[in-house]
Amino acid sequence: MAKSHIQFVCQQCGAIYKNWTGRCTACGAWSSLIQQFDESSRDEKSAVSRGQASGRSLEYVSIKKLEASDDRERLKTGFPDLDTVLGGGILLGSVSVLAGQPGIGKSTLLMQICAEVANTHSVLYVSGEESAGQIKLRAIRLGAESENLKFASSTSANDIAKTIEGGEFDLVIVDSIQTLTLAEIASAPGGVSQVTNCGNLIIRAAKISGTAVIIVGHVTKEGTMAGPKVLEHLVDVVLTFEGDRYGGFKIVRAVKNRFGSTSEAAIFEMNHSGLSEVENPSAALLSERQNTDGSIILATLEGTRPILVEIQALVTPTNFGYPKRTASGFDINRLNLLIAVVERRTKLKLNDKDVFINVVGGIKLQDSAADLAICLAIASAVAGRKLSEDFVVFGEVGLGGEIRSAFRPDQRISEAKKLGFAHAIAPATVKDEFVIPVRDLRSTLIDYVNE
């Protein structure tokens, strides 16, 4: 008989310790070790020997003889852009994880997907967080009342997996993985062991029955998906739901996708009838713009989708000995780097000024081509002068002050032309009559930030 042993498992990285310590030496997290029981055999050597003796040679085939096509059915979500993010829709037999901060709209989005899929397929919504009454109210508000849409309330991974294995449903929603427990494990819900084993059990059931499963995941205060990283490796698709929970645009991205590209993004906005896709985000973002100093229009990309967003900068004298730098929608470390480049490569002095950067609309920029727009916005705010309202800007800024090329410039230029802009200030490597080529940051500030 295997003897029960006490061990301590880090809830952040899954590292195992024999004794409790205040800090995990593997990931550096404090107070993350939780006591669990290890039922493993004391005789590890004999277990390895038995495993080696019981193994058998694999059957293999030439890769040329493998079937490359996957003609399994895909379920349409009702959102064309979200279908594109998923690689064409929800593939039967696939397991996806949707992670986002509380209140951003994960349950709303999934209920709308259920309403669309339930028109032609059987759907089960399993909730371990909300009661039947709460789900009913949301279904009424979103028009998701259908005979094909079933509801169950459970936190037992054993029961959920058994239901999935039955093959009665084409799509199953599990809300959420952090509330599930496996009867064979004594630890609390949300722990590394529970999340890993519950996820593994559900994934096996989905693959056996050919049922598509979407699992809701929580996020940490740093914005990453909560729980062990192994869960992201096990599933087929990992989606992140980003944006401001109180307003602005919300973006769904695929961090991992075995069935499609990870460079696509779906943009949503919340209204009284639920989430709806934004057909022309550029026009919506620029509709209330006032052309003042510190305001620059950036041609950026969300995945492969071009969007024009407004960058706002505010520069004021600091009241303390240490200047403050604040950024909303832009990486603060990148901002500090660009401020250092502006000070070193131009004549602007920012060491006694507070710098505030805002990306309008709740968009979070992950595009290196936003560098030039950030620098121009800061210079415009310092000088009290504005850029011509007919210009859009994009380009990466190097540490030497040089303007470097940007990804997919043709799509950025096409979007700017659609909205009536006259020119784009862009790297000199872009060959287009629409582009005003620039090579270094200093000459750009002198030539184009004017009265």
Side-chain angles (χ1 to χ4, degrees):
M1 292 290 292
K3 183 179 177 181
S4 175
H5 298 279
I6 293 177
Q7 62 183 10
F8 296 88
V9 181
C10 176
Q11 302 302 289
Q12 297 295 326
C13 67
I16 299 175
Y17 298 87
K18 291 183 178 180
N19 300 308
W20 186 89
T21 58
R23 182 173 182 265
C24 174
T25 57
C27 66
W30 287 92
S31 302
S32 62
L33 301 190
I34 302 297
Q35 177 179 310
Q36 294 182 3
F37 291 99
D38 180 18
E39 302 291 343
S40 61
S41 172
R42 290 177 295 175
D43 190 0
E44 296 182 1
K45 184 175 180 180
S46 62
V48 173
S49 300
R50 290 196 302 270
Q52 185 178 10
S54 63
R56 59 186 180 85
S57 181
L58 296 174
E59 296 181 3
Y60 46 86
V61 64
S62 172
I63 197 168
K64 290 185 177 180
K65 297 180 181 179
L66 296 178
E67 293 288 339
S69 61
D70 191 346
D71 53 1
R72 286 181 291 174
E73 183 182 357
R74 288 184 181 267
L75 307 177
K76 299 300 180 181
T77 64
F79 300 107
D81 289 345
L82 183 57
D83 288 336
T84 302
V85 171
L86 292 167
I90 304 171
L91 191 68
L92 288 176
S94 66
V95 180
S96 307
V97 172
L98 175 64
Q101 61 177 314
I104 196 171
K106 299 186 298 295
S107 298
T108 299
L109 176 62
L110 291 175
M111 185 59 72
Q112 290 181 258
I113 293 174
C114 288
E116 176 67 23
V117 176
N119 291 328
T120 54
H121 297 79
S122 57
V123 182
L124 174 63
Y125 193 108
V126 182
S127 177
E129 297 184 346
E130 298 177 288
S131 65
Q134 292 173 304
I135 297 296
K136 175 65 174 179
L137 290 174
R138 182 181 297 119
I140 293 173
R141 177 171 61 88
L142 301 176
E145 297 177 285
S146 172
E147 284 296 326
N148 288 335
L149 177 55
K150 311 297 182 182
F151 171 78
S153 179
S154 176
T155 58
S156 171
N158 307 68
D159 298 343
I160 295 172
K162 195 67 176 179
T163 305
I164 294 173
E165 279 185 24
E168 182 180 351
F169 300 98
D170 298 306
L171 174 64
V172 175
I173 307 295
V174 180
D175 188 4
S176 65
I177 189 68
Q178 271 76 19
T179 63
L180 301 188
T181 57
L182 198 64
E184 292 75 15
I185 299 178
S187 60
V192 171
S193 297
Q194 287 287 11
V195 171
T196 302
N197 289 282
C198 290
N200 212 337
L201 188 63
I202 291 173
I203 291 168
R204 287 183 182 181
K207 300 301 181 182
I208 291 171
S209 62
T211 303
V213 177
I214 300 179
I215 301 172
V216 177
H218 295 172
V219 295
T220 63
K221 61 183 180 181
E222 289 82 15
T224 58
M225 198 174 85
K229 203 71 174 177
V230 67
L231 180 63
E232 297 183 46
H233 291 287
L234 290 173
V235 299
D236 300 308
V237 180
V238 178
L239 301 174
T240 60
F241 207 165
E242 305 169 356
D244 187 354
R245 58 185 294 189
Y246 300 110
F249 291 158
K250 307 175 193 301
I251 302 172
V252 176
R253 290 189 178 93
V255 178
K256 171 188 176 182
N257 192 351
R258 289 174 177 165
F259 314 118
S261 172
T262 57
S263 62
E264 301 292 345
I267 302 175
F268 297 90
E269 62 180 350
M270 184 71 79
N271 50 48
H272 65 281
S273 59
L275 289 163
S276 60
E277 286 188 337
V278 181
E279 295 182 0
N280 192 345
S282 298
L285 288 169
L286 301 181
S287 60
E288 298 177 345
R289 187 216 177 193
Q290 295 181 354
N291 188 24
T292 61
D293 61 271
S295 175
I296 301 292
I297 302 301
L298 164 68
T300 186
L301 293 175
E302 280 295 337
T304 58
R305 185 175 186 178
I307 300 177
L308 302 187
V309 298
E310 180 184 1
I311 305 294
Q312 294 179 327
L314 181 63
V315 180
T316 60
T318 184
N319 294 320
F320 305 98
Y322 188 79
K324 185 176 183 180
R325 280 76 165 93
T326 303
S328 175
F330 191 73
D331 182 41
I332 186 66
N333 295 320
R334 187 69 180 174
L335 174 61
N336 288 326
L337 184 148
L338 293 176
I339 290 174
V341 172
V342 169
E343 285 194 301
R344 179 67 178 84
R345 303 303 175 187
T346 70
K347 298 298 183 181
L348 292 178
K349 298 300 180 184
L350 301 173
N351 55 1
D352 60 346
K353 294 180 174 60
D354 295 336
V355 179
F356 304 90
I357 296 293
N358 178 45
V359 182
V360 176
I363 300 292
K364 292 183 179 179
L365 294 178
Q366 298 178 347
D367 185 7
S368 61
D371 291 353
L372 182 57
I374 296 291
C375 293
L376 285 177
I378 293 172
S380 172
V382 171
R385 300 175 180 178
K386 58 186 180 181
L387 189 71
S388 171
E389 60 183 7
D390 294 329
F391 289 170
V392 297
V393 178
F394 64 89
E396 182 180 353
V397 176
L399 294 182
E402 73 278 11
I403 310 300
R404 295 180 174 270
S405 59
F407 181 62
R408 300 198 179 209
D410 52 336
Q411 293 189 357
R412 303 171 194 261
I413 293 170
S414 176
E415 184 71 8
K417 289 179 178 178
K418 279 188 206 175
L419 293 180
F421 287 88
H423 297 286
I425 298 178
T429 54
V430 181
K431 305 302 180 183
D432 192 293
E433 295 181 355
F434 185 79
V435 170
I436 298 175
V438 292
R439 297 184 179 277
D440 64 273
L441 184 60
R442 182 176 182 180
S443 61
T444 303
L445 299 186
I446 293 174
D447 295 339
Y448 299 108
V449 180
N450 46 38
E451 296 288 352

